[in-house]
Amino acid sequence: MRTEESKTASTILYSLLIFLTFIKVEARNYKQVCSSSSCGEINNISYPFRLRGDPSGCGDPDYELSCVNNKTILEIFPGKYYVKNISYEDQVLRLVDVNFANANRSCSLPSGSVENTDGFVTDFRFKGVLDSLGSRFRFVKCSRNISSLQEAANHTTVPCLTRNGSYVYAVYDGEYSYYNPQPSCSVVSLAPVDLLHDINYKFPSYEAVMELLEAGFFVGWSLECRDCSLAGKSCVVKSWDKPLTYICERENKELTRSQGNLIIAGIVVGGLIALLVIIGILVFFVRKYRTRRNASSSTEKN
Ligand SMILES: *[C@@H]1O[C@H](CO)[C@@H](O)[C@H](O)[C@H]1NC(C)=O
Ligand SMILES: *[C@@H]1O[C@H](CO)[C@@H](O)[C@H](O)[C@H]1NC(C)=O
Ligand SMILES: *[C@@H]1O[C@H](CO)[C@@H](O)[C@H](O)[C@H]1NC(C)=O
Ligand SMILES: *[C@@H]1O[C@H](CO)[C@@H](O)[C@H](O)[C@H]1NC(C)=O
Ligand SMILES: *[C@@H]1O[C@H](CO)[C@@H](O)[C@H](O)[C@H]1NC(C)=O
Ligand SMILES: *[C@@H]1O[C@H](CO)[C@@H](O)[C@H](O)[C@H]1NC(C)=O
Ligand SMILES: *[C@@H]1O[C@H](CO)[C@@H](O)[C@H](O)[C@H]1NC(C)=O
């Protein structure tokens, strides 16, 4: 009776163990098999991207997109952008600011600031390198009408944002050039656009400005660069074979005082040890030599 009971118990335990192992394996498999998600024209949303509502564990939470009315949306920088294309090969996204999208040409400033005033992407998740340098429109607000100034010929008036006492202009910047605003003006926002090779865009019409903004821009993503950023480092390209790989830039930080002291202490201790070893060797040989001499002298005496 007793052995019967223990037999049953062990059988139950054993099956439980197998069952648990099975569940574990299943869970792991489940996590690994994340089918790509789809939203409107973007039908290939996969790692590192995830769509809001995807099973947790699919994609990286840092790269979450949402789907609203069949439009894929990325909220960053902070701002709202339609995702027009995802290239896993080039590791780039094509984005269009919702404020400049076709259906929304209500005339407004960019919804966020993708770049800082130096033209560098601010978000730590999108520090990837792009094939070509981007360019941008700077939105400039002035307290007086500068349209007639010769120096402001490349300033395109944004009519709907211009009202008495406040004049808003868009200025195209094809390079990372230093922009010195006119007196009475200041930069209020930046919007990236593709680099243009057509010189006529130096003085674009407002319609041309809007077309460019509506066409969107690229940002490059990189998980490696994100991780470098989180560690307080910048990243550099390790291999230019696509998809690009990056490594964190080695910091050549100056040594702190305690680190310096440690190194000095290490040298001193190391030197002392070396000295002791040399003395030891010397003593050993001197002793050997002496005993030999003593031995030979004693034989001489005899
Ligand atoms: C979707 O993306 C994966 C990489 O994540 C790629 O291997 C696959 O070819 C893509 N499919 C299409 C239809 O673009
Ligand atoms: C989204 O697209 C699918 C098919 O592509 C369609 O059946 C659905 O009605 C669309 N939804 C909206 C809100 O447009
Ligand atoms: C994304 O871009 C690739 C080429 O870069 C193109 O072949 C593809 O059709 C684009 N996809 C969408 C949804 O626009
Ligand atoms: C227009 O822009 C607003 C925010 O400025 C956004 O909430 C809305 O979804 C946009 N609509 C379209 C159709 O893009
Ligand atoms: C600014 O000045 C230009 C030229 O002097 C003029 O054509 C334009 O109407 C003025 N704009 C506003 C908003 O007053
Ligand atoms: C706009 O024109 C002025 C005067 O010609 C020039 O100094 C400035 O660099 C130009 N700005 C850009 C962004 O090209
Ligand atoms: C704009 O300013 C001018 C002078 O400062 C004034 O005469 C005019 O009435 C103002 N217009 C509006 C619409 O406020």
Side-chain angles (χ1 to χ4, degrees):
M1 197 66 199
R2 253 212 114 164
T3 45
E4 196 88 330
E5 250 175 40
S6 67
K7 231 183 191 174
T8 324
S10 66
T11 310
I12 288 175
L13 265 175
Y14 193 63
S15 5
L16 201 69
L17 204 77
I18 289 176
F19 181 65
L20 282 176
T21 318
F22 181 70
I23 282 186
K24 237 182 177 174
V25 168
E26 272 297 282
R28 207 184 301 140
N29 284 347
Y30 176 68
K31 264 197 172 175
Q32 279 169 355
V33 179
C34 290
S35 56
S36 65
S37 299
S38 157
C39 173
E41 58 184 348
I42 309 296
N43 53 21
N44 197 7
I45 300 172
S46 50
Y47 187 84
F49 294 97
R50 56 175 272 110
L51 206 52
R52 193 168 294 163
D54 278 353
S56 65
C58 286
D60 190 305
D62 271 345
Y63 297 89
E64 185 169 82
L65 308 172
S66 55
C67 191
V68 179
N69 295 331
N70 279 348
K71 292 225 162 69
T72 314
I73 292 174
L74 175 67
E75 286 180 58
I76 42 160
F77 298 131
K80 248 187 190 176
Y81 303 85
Y82 291 126
V83 178
K84 290 294 168 186
N85 205 331
I86 303 178
S87 168
Y88 295 92
E89 172 76 7
D90 296 334
Q91 297 191 64
V92 295
L93 290 183
R94 182 96 185 148
L95 302 177
V96 175
D97 193 322
V98 293
N99 285 3
F100 302 134
N102 201 5
N104 224 359
R105 273 213 190 170
S106 52
C107 180
S108 46
L109 290 169
S111 71
S113 36
V114 177
E115 296 179 345
N116 61 19
T117 47
D118 296 326
F120 291 107
V121 171
T122 50
D123 193 286
F124 70 101
R125 294 163 292 184
F126 295 90
K127 299 271 189 199
V129 171
L130 297 175
D131 273 343
S132 67
L133 286 179
S135 54
R136 64 208 53 80
F137 277 107
R138 294 176 203 271
F139 287 85
V140 181
K141 196 181 222 166
C142 307
S143 59
R144 61 191 192 89
N145 188 347
I146 60 163
S147 299
S148 55
L149 295 180
Q150 188 61 46
E151 313 87 84
N154 50 15
H155 287 52
T156 305
T157 306
V158 181
C160 51
L161 295 174
T162 292
R163 45 187 72 87
N164 229 1
S166 173
Y167 303 85
V168 176
Y169 300 91
V171 191
Y172 178 69
D173 170 17
E175 307 89 35
Y176 287 112
S177 59
Y178 175 69
Y179 177 73
N180 194 18
Q182 296 290 316
S184 83
C185 300
S186 60
V187 176
V188 287
S189 197
L190 253 77
V193 290
D194 290 334
L195 181 62
L196 300 164
H197 301 288
D198 187 348
I199 197 75
N200 288 331
Y201 274 105
K202 278 267 174 194
F203 313 108
S205 65
Y206 176 63
E207 189 56 30
V209 172
M210 288 315 289
E211 266 166 28
L212 274 172
L213 291 170
E214 191 191 326
F217 60 96
F218 286 111
V219 288
W221 84 76
S222 164
L223 278 81
E224 290 154 330
C225 287
R226 174 201 62 181
D227 294 342
C228 294
S229 288
L230 290 176
K233 294 174 184 169
S234 52
C235 62
V236 287
V237 174
K238 183 185 172 198
S239 157
W240 289 95
D241 295 329
K242 286 187 174 170
L244 300 182
T245 51
Y246 299 83
I247 48 167
C248 297
E249 203 158 35
R250 223 186 286 131
E251 289 167 297
N252 29 8
K253 261 208 242 160
E254 283 170 47
L255 293 173
T256 61
R257 210 198 175 98
S258 60
Q259 280 172 321
N261 287 345
L262 228 99
I263 288 175
I264 290 171
I267 291 172
V268 168
V269 169
L272 277 175
I273 290 172
L275 203 69
L276 282 175
V277 168
I278 290 170
I279 290 173
I281 290 171
L282 277 177
V283 166
F284 174 76
F285 276 112
V286 166
R287 272 190 156 175
K288 211 173 176 185
Y289 178 70
R290 268 197 187 158
T291 44
R292 208 188 288 161
R293 256 187 74 163
N294 284 351
S296 60
S297 63
S298 57
T299 45
E300 257 169 45
K301 266 180 191 168
N302 288 347

